[in-house]
């Protein structure tokens, strides 16, 4: 673990690029920073991994969520296999359509503290096992160290979050604020409001944060939406 930080740190992005280069069959990597039921995409190596990370966030299911909740790796070697399609009925098909066939989700943990998940993607079926799995777990440990170092560095800067983990905490706060506003607008609970926010973002193909920004800025009210979640989205294309 230390050797990876020395060789590729202190930048999380560079470490993730080194992770992809290390495994000949891995086509992309994504990192999600997570806390409780919320998650934030921290880094993706390419457009396919970005799409698959956001699918898990918006659909609320997938190997990333399961790996974080259980604290154990989730190794989906073929998303077309019935076991994985039954486990993630919405995510599995959408991920294959996006260009991913296998996903390996490795929890990022510091003791009992869950920090997030490192996701590795293949565009063909296949296993991650033996020495490759051991190496991937080493990369996950190194990513954990760098994320924690970023968060501590952000605190030392007294609120100057820059582009590190602290900025993701700020974005999470916006999502929480938007969820509360939607809850009031729809006169529903926070869990239902968060589900509505995710569903709307998925339907109009925008990020959760972009939609939350519109809600907080009062450019979008959920009590004024038509039944079709995509209705009126074209009027807000400029805010994407």
């Amino acid at each position: 673990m230390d050797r990876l930080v020395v060789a590729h740190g202190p930048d999380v992005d560079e470490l993730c690029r080194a992770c992809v280069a290390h495994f000949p069959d891995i086509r992309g990597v994504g990192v999600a920073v997570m806390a409780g039921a919320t998650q934030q995409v921290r880094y993706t190596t390419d457009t396919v991994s970005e799409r698959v990370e956001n699918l898990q966030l918006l659909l609320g299911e997938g190997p990333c969520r399961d790996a974080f909740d259980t604290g154990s790796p989730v190794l989906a070697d073929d998303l077309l296999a019935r076991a994985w399609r039954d486990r993630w009925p919405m995510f599995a098909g959408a991920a294959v359509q996006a260009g991913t066939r296998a996903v390996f989700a490795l929890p990022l943990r510091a003791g009992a503290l869950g920090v997030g998940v490192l996701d590795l993607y293949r565009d063909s079926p296949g296993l991650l096992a033996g020495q490759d799995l051991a190496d991937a777990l080493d990369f996950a440990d190194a990513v954990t160290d760098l994320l924690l170092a970023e968060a501590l560095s952000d605190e030392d800067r007294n609120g100057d979050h820059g582009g590190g983990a602290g900025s993701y905490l700020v974005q999470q706060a916006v999502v929480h604020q938007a969820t509360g506003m939607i809850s009031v607008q729809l006169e529903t609970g926070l869990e239902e409001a968060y589900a509505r926010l995710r569903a709307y973002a998925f339907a109009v193909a925008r990020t959760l944060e972009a939609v939350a920004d519109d809600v907080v800025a009062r450019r979008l009210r959920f009590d004024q939406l038509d039944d079709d979640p995509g209705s009126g989205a074209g009027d807000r294309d400029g805010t994407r």
Side-chain angles (χ1 to χ4, degrees):
M1 175 177 61
D2 290 343
R3 63 179 175 81
L4 293 175
V5 173
V6 170
H8 306 294
D11 184 70
V12 172
D13 298 9
E14 184 161 342
L15 181 62
C16 289
R17 287 191 289 269
C19 181
V20 174
H22 181 79
F23 300 101
D25 294 325
I26 296 299
R27 294 292 179 260
V29 164
V31 175
V33 177
M34 306 176 73
T38 63
Q39 67 188 74
Q40 194 83 27
V41 179
R42 166 61 177 86
Y43 176 78
T44 56
T45 54
D46 59 356
T47 56
V48 173
S49 57
E50 179 181 12
R51 177 61 176 157
V52 177
E53 287 293 319
N54 279 304
L55 280 171
Q56 296 187 84
L57 169 63
L58 298 176
L59 296 174
E61 66 176 33
C64 179
R65 183 78 255 171
D66 288 3
F68 182 77
D69 289 342
T70 64
S72 300
V74 176
L75 309 176
D77 57 338
D78 186 355
L79 290 173
L80 289 181
R82 178 171 296 277
W84 301 119
R85 287 189 287 121
D86 288 347
R87 185 166 176 174
W88 308 306
M90 294 183 292
F91 168 77
V96 171
Q97 188 174 21
T100 296
R101 189 67 180 270
V103 183
F104 311 109
L106 310 176
L108 306 177
R109 301 185 66 84
L113 174 65
V115 176
V117 174
L118 173 69
D119 290 323
L120 285 68
Y121 302 102
R122 288 178 54 122
D123 57 8
S124 60
L127 297 171
L128 183 70
Q131 187 58 50
D132 282 345
L133 177 57
D135 289 348
L137 291 170
D138 284 344
F139 272 102
D141 286 342
V143 170
T144 302
D145 283 352
L146 293 186
L147 289 176
L148 293 174
E150 278 187 354
L152 291 173
S153 176
D154 289 335
E155 290 179 5
D156 290 343
R157 287 196 295 269
N158 296 320
D160 178 13
H161 299 298
S167 64
Y168 290 86
L169 299 179
V170 172
Q171 292 171 7
Q172 281 188 10
V174 173
V175 171
H176 283 303
Q177 184 179 355
T179 301
M181 293 173 67
I182 295 168
S183 175
V184 173
Q185 292 167 11
L186 299 181
E187 299 181 352
T188 189
L190 290 173
E191 185 174 347
E192 173 66 17
Y194 183 59
R196 294 284 192 96
L197 178 63
R198 282 191 334 216
Y200 181 86
F202 177 74
V204 299
R206 301 180 69 201
T207 66
L208 195 66
E209 296 76 26
V211 176
D213 280 339
D214 277 357
V215 173
V216 172
R218 293 175 172 79
R219 293 187 293 266
L220 173 66
R221 290 186 61 94
F222 271 61
D223 57 352
Q224 295 177 355
L225 293 177
D226 296 331
D227 291 338
D228 177 7
S231 178
D235 295 338
R236 288 178 293 274
D237 285 347
T239 64
R240 294 191 183 192

